[in-house]
């Protein structure tokens, strides 16, 4: 996209001529096969190369040093080395004007100076809003979006993110994460839609559809990326990028369906899992990247590596003796583009491999065609059309209202003995590390990679202490964290207050820097809760978290617990809305909140996991169950019916239940429909989510909810590794109601 920013150095008239030339040239590119036929091997391999912006910059990302492009290096990359893609912005968000200036430079070089004028894909991790754009609308992280169970809202967040990404010229979003979070230890838990496969598939596909839906020009705003293909999210050690051991049955049952759903929704690209699975680094795994991805799933889009991962086949995974061998292994396995990201090592090695005949040019052509096809689908060759997001106002009031709505809907009331909503006269003590802490509300991928630098955030973000102060009309005392953790002083302050709001949190972290040694909440935060509770004040705990930290020891001291996840810029407002009752909380857990670090068991575990010597047949004792979430009103489920009369004819099963708001205020509940297979040739899970609805009801209002399940919802991965249906007895569970039926 061109803008006439002051950083453009080419005289205006020349620019006009060059733009005209650029609109003529793409006519040649309409036929991608013909374009491919004109390309040299250097041009083809260049398309398969992705460099980080840092590789073509004067400054290398030192904090506080303004970014400067190295124009010679950029020209070398785009014109001499024909690279097909750039990514990232090395750890520093940029303004809209800076992005436009950068994109104008890139556009001029690729379209007007490179031999074939092939535009580039520019990839960015816009994972909760375009978080590397200073003015962008930022949303809660995915784990909070999932807690809303509002698929339309998930889609709206993805749509706004995509539009605000393309609006500055970026056309490839490395999102959504489609990994199913099967270990709460994992540092990327918050980037997921939770522990359930079905929910991840529904939310992931909705996000992909929204990101890639055609704009007014007929082209999508961005290409979405399903990441990380495949088996990334259950490292055995719980630590990022450590080995996963996932049997094929589990891979197909738990981890594959969200990718399948996203592909059915038109997913254009996938990013490869950086770690090893079953002993094979996925970047070198032909079974995963070709047999499964291409031959079985029929995926036609781009498979891009993750960061530096070809090199890691040599120095980390040790399956390749040298870099050239690693390039051979990964291209042979099936990758299309290497996120190299600093140099031309991949490019040079791949050219040599083609010259030596180890990689055929036909194999290269497959990848290049996939890359060109994505570029064409995005309208990048069509410079005569307006940008798909020409009409977008970045950070508009409406977009920010959607972020506030998402933060509010995500708030999950885990416990309430009646202290919430707070009384209008009650005096409040506020304390805890998350109180005045902006990064703790946002989590990582916020203006910087780790999101820890408070100076990188926009000014004026409302923190919880300020929000409480503005709404508690002189009834608030604040005990700042750090300066103030003297138990005696704290107890005295707590003694004087009716209620203490304790904002607990986790310093943002992600990927390797986010590895932890224990899931327990840090001891100083637990001590805070105990000290305050012992003073007699009633305690409201508010949790801002990357992942569910164990709170068993302090839970009995808390009169109420609000899980805020990582709610983003409107977190403080959304939390206080719940505390004072402005908003009736309606969020529900998209994961099982564990009670013990040694019992990290998901809700859809096997029957044998619910019995042990200590607890008899009910050994599954999470702190809070999957789907849990309280409200200030009461909901009652009744009259669950399962109609199987059509099942033999068309494989459908109709499920109905009545949901009534029996309390005295309007509220939202989420109805989850679980299926239990009583006997199967592969030991069945105790239950599996197969449908859900988030429902708003006024006091006294009731509604009849209806879902249609199909035979596919009853299938599991059988002995032959295919999805199989076996007749027999099934139960359908909604809330505490159960209907059991025998199906032919
Ligand atoms: C992460 C990816 C991300 C990529 C590009 C990697 O370290 O694993 O999720 O898209 O960096 O920033």
């Amino acid at each position: 996209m061109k803008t006439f920013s002051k950083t453009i150095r080419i005289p205006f008239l020349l620019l006009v001529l060059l733009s005209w030339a650029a609109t003529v040239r793409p006519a040649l590119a309409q036929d991608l096969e013909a374009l491919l036929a004109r390309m040299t091997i250097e041009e083809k391999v260049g398309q398969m190369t992705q460099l980080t912006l840092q590789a073509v910059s004067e400054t290398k990302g030192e904090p506080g040093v303004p970014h400067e492009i190295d124009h010679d290096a950029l020209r070398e990359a785009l014109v001499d080395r024909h690279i097909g893609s750039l990514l990232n912005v090395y750890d520093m968000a940029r303004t809209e004007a800076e992005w436009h200036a950068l994109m104008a430079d890139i556009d001029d070089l690729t379209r007007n100076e490179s031999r074939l004028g092939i535009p580039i894909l520019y990839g960015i991790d816009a994972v909760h809003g375009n978080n590397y754009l200073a003015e962008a609308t930022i949303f809660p992280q995915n784990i909070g979006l999932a807690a809303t169970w509002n698929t339309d809202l998930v889609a709206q967040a993805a749509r706004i993110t995509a539009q605000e990404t393309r609006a500055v010229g970026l056309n490839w979003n490395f999102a959504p994460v489609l990994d199913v979070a099967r270990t709460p230890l994992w540092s990327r838990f918050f980037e997921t839609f939770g522990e359930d496969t079905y929910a991840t598939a529904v939310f992931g596909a909705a996000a992909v559809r929204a990101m890639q839906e055609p704009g007014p020009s007929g082209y999508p705003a961005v290409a979405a990326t399903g990441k990380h293909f495949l088996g990334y999210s259950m490292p055995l050690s719980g630590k990022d990028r450590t080995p996963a051991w996932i049997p094929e049955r589990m891979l197909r049952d738990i981890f594959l369906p969200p990718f399948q759903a996203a592909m059915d929704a038109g997913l254009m690209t996938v990013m490869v899992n950086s770690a090893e699975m079953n002993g094979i680094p996925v970047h070198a795994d032909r079974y995963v990247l070709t047999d499964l991805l291409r031959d079985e799933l029929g995926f036609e889009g781009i498979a891009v590596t993750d960061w530096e991962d070809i090199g890691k086949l040599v120095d980390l995974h040790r399956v390749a003796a040298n870099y050239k061998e690693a390039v051979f292994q990964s291209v042979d396995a099936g990758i299309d583009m290497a996120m190299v990201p600093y140099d031309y090592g991949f490019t040079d090695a791949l050219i040599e491999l083609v010259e030596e005949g180890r990689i055929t040019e036909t194999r290269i052509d497959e990848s290049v065609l996939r890359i060109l096809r994505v570029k064409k689908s995005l309208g990048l060759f069509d410079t005569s059309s307006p940008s798909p997001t020409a009409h977008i106002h970045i950070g508009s009031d409406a977009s920010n209202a959607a972020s506030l709505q998402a933060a509010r809907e995500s708030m999950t009331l885990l416990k309430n003995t009646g202290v919430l909503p707070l009384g209008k006269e009650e005096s409040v003590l506020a304390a805890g590390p998350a109180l005045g802490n902006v990064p703790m509300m946002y989590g990582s991928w916020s203006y910087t990679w780790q999101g820890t630098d408070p100076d990188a955030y926009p000014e004026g973000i409302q923190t919880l202490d300020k929000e409480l102060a503005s709404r508690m009309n002189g009834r608030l005392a604040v005990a700042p964290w750090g300066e103030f953790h003297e138990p005696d002083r704290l107890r005295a302050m707590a003694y004087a207050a009716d209620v203490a709001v304790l904002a607990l949190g986790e310093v943002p972290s992600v990927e390797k820097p986010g590895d932890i040694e224990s899931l327990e909440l840090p001891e100083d935060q637990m001590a805070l809760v105990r000290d305050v509770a012992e003073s007699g004040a009633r305690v409201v705990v508010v949790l801002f978290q990357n992942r569910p930290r164990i709170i068993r020891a302090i839970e009995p001291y808390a009169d109420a617990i609000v899980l805020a996840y990582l709610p983003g810029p409107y977190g403080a407002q959304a939390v206080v809305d719940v505390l004072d009752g402005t908003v009736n909380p309606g969020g529900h857990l998209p994961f099982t909140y564990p009670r013990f670090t040694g019992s990290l068991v998901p809700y859809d575990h096997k029957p044998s996991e619910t019995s042990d010597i200590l607890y008899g047949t009910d050994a599954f004792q999470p702190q809070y169950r999957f789907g849990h979430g309280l409200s200030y009103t009461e909901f009652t489920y009744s009259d669950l019916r399962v109609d199987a009369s059509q099942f033999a004819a068309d494989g459908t099963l109709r499920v109905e239940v009545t949901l009534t708001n029996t309390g005295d205020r309007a509220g939202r509940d989420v109805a989850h429909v679980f299926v239990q297979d009583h006997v199967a040739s592969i030991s069945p899970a105790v239950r599996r989510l197969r449908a859900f609805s988030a429902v708003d009801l006024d006091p006294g209002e009731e509604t009849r909810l209806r879902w249609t399940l199909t035979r596919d919802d009853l299938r599991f991965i059988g002995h032959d590794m295919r999805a199989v249906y076996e007749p027999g007895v099934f139960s359908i569970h909604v809330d505490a109601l159960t209907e059991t039926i025998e199906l032919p």
Side-chain angles (χ1 to χ4, degrees):
M1 177 188 317
K2 281 193 174 61
T3 54
F4 297 95
S5 123
K6 60 178 185 266
T7 57
I8 297 177
R9 293 153 305 127
I10 308 170
F12 181 73
L13 191 60
L14 180 59
L15 200 63
V16 171
L17 285 172
L18 292 174
S19 315
W20 172 80
T23 54
V24 175
R25 202 177 266 152
L28 298 170
Q30 293 305 312
D31 181 351
L32 298 181
E33 299 273 359
L35 175 61
L36 186 70
R38 294 176 57 210
M39 291 172 76
T40 63
I41 189 65
E42 288 78 10
E43 284 163 336
K44 290 177 183 176
V45 168
Q47 284 299 309
M48 295 171 69
T49 303
Q50 185 183 56
L51 295 185
T52 178
L53 188 63
Q54 202 166 343
V56 291
S57 301
E58 299 267 12
T59 45
K60 299 296 175 206
E62 302 85 355
V65 180
H67 177 258
E68 292 238 3
I69 283 287
D70 177 340
H71 284 96
D72 292 338
L74 186 64
R75 180 181 306 272
E76 184 192 5
L78 300 175
V79 180
D80 306 335
R81 293 300 201 127
H82 324 284
I83 67 151
S85 182
L86 284 167
L87 88 148
N88 272 12
V89 59
Y90 64 88
D91 223 17
M92 210 187 295
R94 321 167 123 257
T95 63
E96 194 181 338
E98 287 173 324
W99 274 118
H100 280 306
L102 171 64
M103 291 304 164
D105 279 1
I106 291 170
D107 257 24
D108 286 339
L109 285 167
T110 48
R111 293 188 196 279
N112 305 325
E113 293 194 38
S114 74
R115 191 178 80 90
L116 295 169
I118 301 174
I120 67 152
L121 286 169
Y122 200 124
I124 196 86
D125 296 282
V127 303
H128 63 134
N130 186 357
N131 36 255
Y132 284 124
L133 168 64
E135 299 90 344
T137 310
I138 303 298
F139 289 91
Q141 301 275 2
N142 281 347
I143 197 69
L145 289 181
T148 71
W149 295 91
N150 183 342
T151 311
D152 291 342
L153 195 54
V154 172
Q156 197 185 353
R159 185 176 302 114
I160 292 168
T161 299
Q163 290 174 342
E164 295 193 357
T165 298
R166 185 62 178 270
V168 292
L170 297 159
N171 45 36
W172 189 3
N173 191 6
F174 298 142
V177 164
L178 298 176
D179 303 309
V180 186
R182 301 299 278 195
T183 168
L185 285 159
W186 188 43
S187 65
R188 308 190 71 167
F189 191 92
F190 68 93
E191 289 186 66
T192 73
F193 293 113
E195 80 181 24
D196 180 61
T197 298
Y198 172 76
T200 306
V202 170
F203 296 139
V208 167
R209 236 176 258 118
M211 276 190 235
Q212 295 188 167
E213 77 195 8
S217 63
Y219 298 113
V222 297
T225 307
K227 69 186 191 183
H228 305 78
F229 196 79
L230 185 66
Y232 182 30
S233 52
M234 199 177 66
L236 186 61
S237 71
K239 298 204 166 118
D240 188 48
R241 290 171 158 83
T242 58
W245 298 90
I246 304 177
E248 187 175 350
R249 174 164 300 105
M250 190 184 224
L251 195 68
R252 289 174 178 277
D253 232 355
I254 305 285
F255 297 98
L256 195 55
F259 286 92
Q260 175 74 70
M263 285 171 196
D264 293 345
L267 182 70
M268 290 193 199
T269 79
V270 295
M271 188 184 293
V272 178
N273 167 10
S274 194
E276 65 168 71
M277 178 170 56
N278 304 330
I280 305 174
V282 180
H283 282 80
D285 194 337
R286 198 165 210 287
Y287 168 70
V288 174
L289 297 182
T290 295
D291 300 356
L292 188 56
L293 181 65
R294 305 297 182 186
D295 300 346
E296 192 179 321
L297 300 177
F299 183 63
E300 307 264 1
I302 298 172
V304 64
T305 75
D306 202 340
W307 185 267
E308 261 183 333
D309 271 309
I310 294 180
K312 288 184 195 146
L313 296 178
V314 183
D315 50 32
L316 187 67
H317 299 296
R318 297 175 175 270
V319 294
N322 55 54
Y323 190 74
K324 187 167 156 187
E325 189 55 28
V327 172
F328 171 77
Q329 288 184 10
S330 59
V331 173
D332 187 56
I335 68 108
D336 297 311
M337 184 184 284
M339 192 186 286
V340 186
Y342 292 109
D343 56 33
Y344 300 101
F346 168 82
T347 326
D348 293 340
L350 189 50
I351 291 169
E352 277 177 43
L353 287 163
V354 174
E355 283 166 354
E356 290 163 12
R358 289 189 71 202
I359 300 278
T360 64
E361 198 156 343
T362 314
R363 167 68 192 85
I364 299 294
D365 287 354
E366 273 171 22
S367 288
V368 176
L369 211 48
R370 287 177 191 137
I371 294 164
L372 295 177
R373 264 200 307 260
V374 168
K375 292 184 175 184
K376 188 173 172 183
S377 310
L378 288 168
L380 304 185
F381 289 108
D382 182 1
T383 47
S384 58
S385 283
S387 155
T389 53
H391 59 295
I392 291 303
H393 173 196
I394 292 169
S396 69
D397 290 348
S399 304
N400 277 285
S403 173
L404 170 60
Q405 185 192 345
R408 282 176 165 157
E409 289 190 20
S410 71
M411 292 296 141
T412 305
L413 185 61
L414 296 177
K415 177 176 181 179
N416 187 16
T417 59
V419 62
L420 292 182
L422 297 173
K424 301 245 176 299
E425 306 299 323
E426 284 172 314
S427 61
V428 176
L429 167 71
L435 206 54
N437 192 314
V438 172
M440 276 189 186
M441 289 201 304
Y442 278 68
S444 293
W445 302 112
S446 298
Y447 305 102
T448 61
W449 174 40
Q450 292 298 311
T452 40
D453 179 2
D455 297 336
Y457 286 77
E459 282 174 15
I461 303 293
Q462 188 74 328
T463 51
L464 198 48
D465 51 354
K466 293 198 192 116
E467 184 72 19
L468 282 165
S470 74
R471 289 165 64 168
M472 293 288 149
N473 294 328
R475 292 180 286 127
L476 180 77
V478 176
W481 185 253
E483 314 155 33
F484 200 107
H485 194 58
E486 282 171 47
D488 288 346
R489 219 172 129 203
L490 189 67
R491 280 199 199 98
M493 283 182 89
Y495 186 72
D498 296 316
V499 179
V501 172
L502 305 181
L504 310 185
E506 191 171 356
V507 174
S509 63
V510 70
E511 300 185 47
K512 291 306 290 177
D515 287 348
I516 49 175
E517 304 300 331
S518 163
L519 203 53
E520 300 275 346
L521 193 70
E523 180 47 41
D524 53 352
Q525 300 197 37
M526 300 222 261
L528 173 72
V529 177
R530 280 191 299 262
D531 289 343
V532 168
E534 278 161 10
S535 73
R538 288 184 296 163
V539 170
V540 176
V541 167
V542 180
L543 297 167
F544 296 90
Q545 298 187 324
N546 299 8
R547 54 205 138 192
R549 305 302 291 258
I550 302 291
I551 53 169
R552 183 184 70 257
I554 51 142
E555 193 271 349
Y557 295 96
D559 295 282
I561 302 177
V562 177
L563 179 54
Y565 309 91
L566 297 168
Y570 300 102
Q573 185 177 340
V575 166
V576 181
D577 284 344
V578 165
L579 298 185
D580 74 5
T582 307
V583 164
N584 188 359
H588 287 70
L589 284 177
F591 54 84
T592 305
Y593 201 115
R595 187 188 297 266
F596 301 100
T597 44
S599 258
L600 305 178
V601 181
Y603 84 91
D604 53 346
H605 52 268
K606 295 302 183 83
S608 56
E609 289 172 275
T610 60
S611 71
D612 77 1
I613 197 156
L614 196 59
Y615 298 108
T617 54
D618 195 15
F620 184 56
Q621 306 260 331
Q623 192 76 54
Y624 303 106
R625 285 174 189 265
F626 175 82
H628 174 72
L630 303 172
S631 167
Y632 296 150
T633 190
E634 299 282 323
F635 291 100
T636 308
Y637 288 82
S638 58
D639 199 15
L640 173 65
R641 299 245 170 111
V642 180
D643 173 4
S645 57
Q646 298 300 308
F647 190 79
D650 65 6
T652 62
L653 209 55
R654 275 161 244 283
V655 179
E656 294 186 18
V657 75
T658 299
L659 174 58
T660 311
N661 180 347
T662 47
D664 56 9
R665 56 175 294 182
R668 166 173 297 183
D669 201 22
V670 180
H672 292 105
V673 181
F674 297 98
V675 169
Q676 176 193 357
D677 189 349
H678 283 246
V679 177
S681 57
I682 300 294
S683 82
V686 294
R687 52 171 60 189
R688 296 186 301 169
L689 184 69
R690 283 295 175 260
F692 61 85
S693 301
V695 190
D696 294 307
L697 290 177
D698 286 329
E701 191 182 354
E702 74 170 40
T703 186
R704 191 84 180 139
L705 302 174
R706 296 185 175 83
W707 302 273
T708 301
L709 304 186
T710 68
R711 192 177 277 116
D712 284 346
D713 293 317
L714 310 177
R715 292 186 203 278
F716 57 91
I717 303 298
H719 279 281
D720 61 358
M721 296 301 158
R722 287 163 197 262
V724 60
Y725 166 75
E726 289 175 359
V729 178
F730 294 84
S731 288
I732 307 293
H733 305 274
V734 181
D735 195 60
L737 304 177
T738 300
E739 271 291 294
T740 299
I741 41 165
E742 181 154 7
L743 294 176

